[in-house]
Amino acid sequence: MVDPKRVSAIPQMGRSRASKGASYSAMTVNVVGLGEVLWDLLPTGPQLGGAPANFAYHVRALGEQVGAQADLITRIGDDNSGREVVRRFHEMRLRDTTVQVDKLAPTGSAKVELSTDGVPHFTIQENVGWDFLAVTDDALAAVRQADAICFGTLAQRCQRSRATIQQLVASSPATTLRVLDINLRQPFYSRGVIEESLQLANVLKLNDEELPIVAEMFNLTTESCGADIPVRVPAGDRPCSPIRQSPPHQIERHVEILAQTFGLRLVALTRGANGSLLYQVDGDKRRWSGCPSRPAKVIDTVGAGDAFTAALVLGLLRRMDLDEINDVANEVARYVCSQPGATPQLPLEFVQRFSAS
């Protein structure tokens, strides 16, 4: 139920607005980001962020020529920061019909500190708008029409938003790509949230720091973190400190077991400078795709994983070859690393790779 004390209306973008001659009725895919939107408070100034928001932006940008549309189901505060989020969405050509406005909680933000190699460390504000995400008619309509939904664990840190996200994902059609981008960023997280999310998902995306944590949680290694015991890390630090990585000979086995255990169609493992691995299950067929990474001048890595996920999802929906998907997803992520912030304008060459498929 929606609490009327918490919600106010915002101006809506016209659904009939055309883009380069393509109307919404002619769009080929509908993609939904589900969860947090926030301001990343970087040393160079605030940048719009939040994994689902970054994902939605990159899907819209990469799919410009094939009519891809992206909605973000999120919640902001009734404040200047929230109004600036909506203004930026208009600028980025994202629809705002599924952006909820909370009358009590503020718009989210995260202090971001960058290491010498550009890797971000987040201190994320709590009790903000997206912690009170609600099931609304607009949100239900979006997920019921979605060809793909991307959600994570961060926005499920509070029971209210956790219940909302899981209900919305479960309300999508059986044919929808339900992509779990784990994103272990909070000072604590539990096996319960991850397990429930994996049971809803059919695609999993995680990185090489998150894989060993998940492997321990589900007894894929000799050590386990327990059934539902929060794994606590210093506020603002990485998911695990010091960094743990699965031994090379275990990586593929862990990925295979995760796919088998939770009935996943695809697992994507990003490995930073080592590129990425994709593991696809299609009936009785199994396929691996490995892609090395090319050197890049890194400004910061904020949003690079979200850009990878956007390219992955759009490639899957466009039925591109798995190796081609892996290659272009790496190139998009590599480009984002070379630019400040999570949502730089993308080169036309990336857009054309999807339109040519």
Side-chain angles (χ1 to χ4, degrees):
M1 295 292 291
V2 178
D3 184 350
K5 295 180 180 179
R6 303 198 71 94
V7 181
S8 66
I10 58 178
Q12 302 299 323
M13 296 176 67
R15 287 184 178 271
S16 62
R17 176 178 57 80
S19 170
K20 293 187 177 181
S23 67
Y24 287 120
S25 62
M27 59 188 164
T28 57
V29 293
N30 290 289
V31 178
V32 172
L34 177 55
E36 69 272 15
V37 65
L38 49 82
W39 289 100
D40 285 326
L41 306 180
L42 290 154
T44 54
Q47 295 276 356
L48 189 64
N54 299 338
F55 166 81
Y57 163 76
H58 286 297
V59 167
R60 180 70 181 88
L62 291 169
E64 173 73 17
Q65 294 184 359
V66 295
Q69 297 297 331
D71 290 295
L72 178 64
I73 300 174
T74 191
R75 198 174 181 95
I76 57 177
D78 186 15
D79 50 29
N80 288 335
S81 294
R83 285 182 279 278
E84 180 61 15
V85 168
V86 175
R87 190 195 71 79
R88 286 291 303 277
F89 275 22
H90 291 190
E91 189 177 81
M92 297 158 69
R93 302 174 74 178
L94 290 174
R95 298 180 292 188
D96 61 18
T97 52
T98 53
V99 178
Q100 304 167 17
V101 178
D102 197 293
K103 298 294 289 184
L104 302 177
T107 301
S109 66
K111 182 180 178 182
V112 185
E113 296 179 357
L114 300 176
S115 64
T116 55
D117 55 355
V119 176
H121 300 258
F122 298 89
T123 303
I124 303 173
Q125 182 184 7
E126 298 188 56
N127 296 312
V128 296
W130 48 267
D131 286 316
F132 302 96
L133 194 62
V135 176
T136 65
D137 290 342
D138 282 334
L140 284 169
V143 298
R144 287 169 178 166
Q145 298 173 26
D147 296 295
I149 297 175
C150 183
F151 67 108
T153 53
L154 174 56
Q156 297 185 66
R157 63 184 180 179
C158 293
Q159 181 58 38
R160 171 71 176 273
S161 58
R162 178 181 178 180
T164 294
I165 288 171
Q166 293 188 13
Q167 180 179 341
L168 289 173
V169 174
S171 298
S172 66
T175 55
T176 299
L177 290 178
R178 298 175 175 182
V179 184
L180 172 62
D181 186 352
I182 283 185
N183 246 344
L184 302 179
R185 297 203 186 280
Q186 275 301 93
F188 62 90
Y189 44 88
S190 72
R191 170 172 170 160
V193 171
I194 294 175
E195 185 169 16
E196 290 168 3
S197 299
L198 282 167
Q199 289 169 346
L200 286 168
N202 50 39
V203 175
L204 169 65
K205 183 260 181 182
L206 72 174
N207 63 37
D208 56 357
E209 293 176 27
E210 293 162 341
L211 179 61
I213 299 172
V214 175
E216 287 185 358
M217 284 184 175
F218 295 101
N219 290 313
L220 305 187
T221 64
T222 55
E223 299 177 3
S224 174
C225 290
D228 199 15
I229 301 173
V231 182
R232 297 186 175 271
V233 299
D237 204 352
R238 297 186 188 184
C240 190
S241 182
I243 297 172
R244 293 177 290 178
Q245 294 185 346
S246 299
H249 66 280
Q250 290 185 357
I251 289 175
E252 292 189 2
R253 183 58 181 156
H254 288 168
V255 167
E256 288 174 341
I257 294 174
L258 282 170
Q260 180 179 4
T261 301
F262 294 100
L264 301 170
R265 301 180 195 174
L266 185 139
V267 177
L269 178 69
T270 56
R271 307 175 66 193
N274 294 318
S276 60
L277 288 173
L278 302 182
Y279 176 64
Q280 188 176 50
V281 179
D282 183 7
D284 294 332
K285 298 179 181 179
R286 307 289 185 269
R287 183 176 174 188
W288 284 94
S289 173
C291 183
S293 180
R294 295 195 294 123
K297 181 180 179 181
V298 177
I299 301 299
D300 66 61
T301 62
V302 179
D306 308 322
F308 182 98
T309 307
L312 170 71
V313 167
L314 195 55
L316 290 172
L317 292 176
R318 296 287 292 165
R319 300 183 184 275
M320 293 166 60
D321 179 76
L322 196 64
D323 288 335
E324 184 181 2
I325 293 172
N326 208 0
D327 179 69
V328 69
N330 269 276
E331 287 300 300
V332 172
R334 176 177 173 273
Y335 178 81
V336 172
C337 287
S338 72
Q339 306 295 311
T343 54
Q345 184 173 350
L346 299 176
L348 182 60
E349 64 187 82
F350 295 140
V351 180
Q352 291 173 335
R353 289 188 67 173
F354 289 99
S355 62
S357 64

